Amino acid sequence: MLFRKLGIATIVTIYLLVLAGGIVRSTGSGMGCPDWPKCFGMLVPPTDVTQLPANYQEIYAEKLHGEVEFNVTKTWIEYANRLLGALTGIIVFATFISSFFYYWKKDRAIVYLSFLGVILIGANGVLGKYVVDSFLKPGVVTMHMLLAILVIFVLLYAIARGWSEVIITENVEHKNTITKLLIVVLIVSTSQILIGTQVREAIDKIIANPFFGYNRSTWIEQMGLPFYIHRSFSIIVLGLHIFLIWMLQKNTKQTGLISTFTKALVIMVIVEILTGIIMAYFGVPAYIQPVHLTLAIISVGIQFVLLLLLNFKNVTRFSES
C-alpha cells in the first residue's frame, strides 16, 4: 500500500534530516547561508566568492554580527540541509494525501495524524528560519529539536495504525508495568537529548572564543555545568535502558516485532554510549557529533514504537490474536 511505503520513507527522511542538521551544527555551518529561504540572495548559492557582490560582507554584517566570511563548504552543507528539509516536507505532504484516499472512510485518525505531521513539519521549517534569523539563539535550537521529535512520534503513530491490519504482536507478560517503565524511559531519554542541545549551545559559545574555539582538545574542560549534567544523567539513562531491555526480554515469550525492536534498541544504546565516550575523551570529533545525536533520536523512536506495539489493541484498530 502506498501510504505504508510513504510512511516509512517519511520517517527515513526525517532521520536523515536530523543527521544533516547535526552535520550543520558540528561543522559550524549553521550560518553558511545568512538569509532564508534564499542563500546570499540566490535560489542556488554561489560556488565561489567572485559570484557575490564586492560588498557582500557589508550587506550581511548585521545578520552575522559583523562576522561574515564566505565559505563554500559551509554554505553548501547548510543549503543541502535546506534541500533535504524541503524534500521531507514534500514526502510528509504526500503521506497525508495518500492517507486521505486510503483511510478517510476506514480510520480518520490516520488522516488527522498525517495532517498534524504536515502542520508540525511546516512549523519546524518556520522555526528553522528563526534559528537563522536569530543567529542560532540559545533555546530556539532546543525547541527546533523538540519539535522534530514530536513530528516523529506523530507520524510513527499514524504509520502504526496504517500497518495495524497486517501486524501481529507477541504476547508480553506484565504489559502494564513495562508500559509505565517505557513511558519513564521515553521522558528521561528525551530530556537527555534536550540537555545535549544545551551542551551543543555551550560548544557554540566556546567556538566563538578566538582563544579556545579552534582547539577541540580544550572544549570539554571549557563546557562547564551542562556537559557534566549530560554526562552524569547518561548513567541514569543507561540504567533505565538495561532494566527496560531485561524486562522486555524476560516477559516476551515469542519472537516477533517486539523482540526485534528490543534488539535494535540494545544496538542503539551500545553505539550511542560508544559515541559519547569518543566525544568525551577524544576532543569532540566533528564526525561523531551528528552520529551521536541521530542515534539518540532513533533510540527514542524505537522506544515509542515499542510503546505502540505493547499497546496495539488500544492505540490501533487492530485486535491482538
Side-chain angles (χ1 to χ4, degrees), residues 171-213:
N171 292 320
V172 178
E173 298 177 356
H174 305 293
K175 187 177 296 184
N176 291 336
T177 300
I178 298 175
T179 294
K180 292 175 183 177
L181 177 59
L182 253 173
I183 292 172
V184 171
V185 173
L186 259 174
I187 293 172
V188 171
S189 298
T190 303
S191 299
Q192 176 72 332
I193 291 172
L194 298 182
I195 295 171
T197 63
Q198 303 300 312
V199 174
R200 179 62 237 186
E201 290 172 3
I203 290 176
D204 289 339
K205 292 179 181 178
I206 295 169
I207 294 174
N209 186 314
F211 184 75
F212 294 109

Side-chain angles (χ1 to χ4, degrees), residues 188-251:
V188 171
S189 298
T190 303
S191 299
Q192 176 72 332
I193 291 172
L194 298 182
I195 295 171
T197 63
Q198 303 300 312
V199 174
R200 179 62 237 186
E201 290 172 3
I203 290 176
D204 289 339
K205 292 179 181 178
I206 295 169
I207 294 174
N209 186 314
F211 184 75
F212 294 109
Y214 296 100
N215 188 357
R216 287 180 175 267
S217 63
T218 66
W219 284 8
I220 295 296
E221 61 190 67
Q222 298 299 318
M223 283 183 200
L225 189 59
F227 168 75
Y228 293 108
I229 293 175
H230 186 62
R231 187 177 67 178
S232 300
F233 203 57
S234 65
I235 299 173
I236 298 174
V237 175
L238 175 60
L240 283 171
H241 272 95
I242 291 173
F243 184 51
L244 171 64
I245 291 165
W246 177 75
M247 286 288 289
L248 282 166
Q249 291 181 333
K250 177 184 177 182
N251 293 286

Side-chain angles (χ1 to χ4, degrees), residues 38-51:
K38 294 183 179 181
C39 184
F40 285 102
M42 304 177 185
L43 291 176
V44 178
T47 56
D48 191 86
V49 69
T50 57
Q51 296 173 270

Side-chain angles (χ1 to χ4, degrees), residues 57-70:
Q57 291 179 316
E58 180 182 338
I59 295 173
Y60 297 103
E62 183 178 353
K63 284 182 176 289
L64 297 179
H65 297 192
E67 299 177 4
V68 58
E69 187 68 40
F70 177 71

Side-chain angles (χ1 to χ4, degrees), residues 4-267:
R4 295 170 186 161
K5 293 178 180 178
L6 283 173
I8 293 174
T10 295
I11 297 301
V12 170
T13 55
I14 289 176
Y15 280 128
L16 288 175
L17 187 59
V18 170
L19 177 61
I23 292 172
V24 168
R25 295 299 301 281
S26 66
T27 57
S29 303
M31 299 305 294
C33 292
D35 46 348
W36 192 98
K38 294 183 179 181
C39 184
F40 285 102
M42 304 177 185
L43 291 176
V44 178
T47 56
D48 191 86
V49 69
T50 57
Q51 296 173 270
L52 293 170
N55 63 337
Y56 81 93
Q57 291 179 316
E58 180 182 338
I59 295 173
Y60 297 103
E62 183 178 353
K63 284 182 176 289
L64 297 179
H65 297 192
E67 299 177 4
V68 58
E69 187 68 40
F70 177 71
N71 182 309
V72 64
T73 301
K74 291 183 177 181
T75 293
W76 277 87
I77 287 175
E78 168 58 14
Y79 186 67
N81 178 53
R82 293 184 185 186
L83 289 179
L84 184 56
L87 175 63
T88 302
I90 292 171
I91 295 178
V92 170
F93 186 73
T95 303
F96 161 64
I97 296 299
S98 67
S99 73
F100 185 85
F101 285 106
Y102 283 106
Y103 293 106
W104 182 249
K105 293 182 179 180
K106 294 172 60 178
D107 188 356
R108 292 189 181 182
I110 294 177
V111 181
Y112 298 145
L113 287 165
S114 300
F115 181 67
L116 179 58
V118 173
I119 297 299
L120 292 175
I121 280 286
N124 218 17
V126 173
L127 190 59
K129 177 185 185 304
Y130 184 62
V131 168
V132 174
D133 291 343
S134 65
F135 196 67
L136 307 179
K137 183 178 180 180
V140 179
V141 177
T142 300
M143 184 58 66
H144 195 48
M145 176 58 63
L146 183 61
L147 199 52
I149 295 172
L150 182 58
V151 170
I152 291 170
F153 287 174
V154 168
L155 292 175
L156 281 174
Y157 185 18
I159 293 165
R161 292 183 73 103
W163 280 86
S164 63
E165 297 172 337
V166 296
I167 286 179
I168 298 177
T169 59
E170 309 97 301
N171 292 320
V172 178
E173 298 177 356
H174 305 293
K175 187 177 296 184
N176 291 336
T177 300
I178 298 175
T179 294
K180 292 175 183 177
L181 177 59
L182 253 173
I183 292 172
V184 171
V185 173
L186 259 174
I187 293 172
V188 171
S189 298
T190 303
S191 299
Q192 176 72 332
I193 291 172
L194 298 182
I195 295 171
T197 63
Q198 303 300 312
V199 174
R200 179 62 237 186
E201 290 172 3
I203 290 176
D204 289 339
K205 292 179 181 178
I206 295 169
I207 294 174
N209 186 314
F211 184 75
F212 294 109
Y214 296 100
N215 188 357
R216 287 180 175 267
S217 63
T218 66
W219 284 8
I220 295 296
E221 61 190 67
Q222 298 299 318
M223 283 183 200
L225 189 59
F227 168 75
Y228 293 108
I229 293 175
H230 186 62
R231 187 177 67 178
S232 300
F233 203 57
S234 65
I235 299 173
I236 298 174
V237 175
L238 175 60
L240 283 171
H241 272 95
I242 291 173
F243 184 51
L244 171 64
I245 291 165
W246 177 75
M247 286 288 289
L248 282 166
Q249 291 181 333
K250 177 184 177 182
N251 293 286
T252 305
K253 302 305 180 183
Q254 300 93 14
T255 299
L257 279 175
I258 292 176
S259 58
T260 298
F261 276 100
T262 299
K263 292 174 183 176
L265 185 59
V266 171
I267 295 172

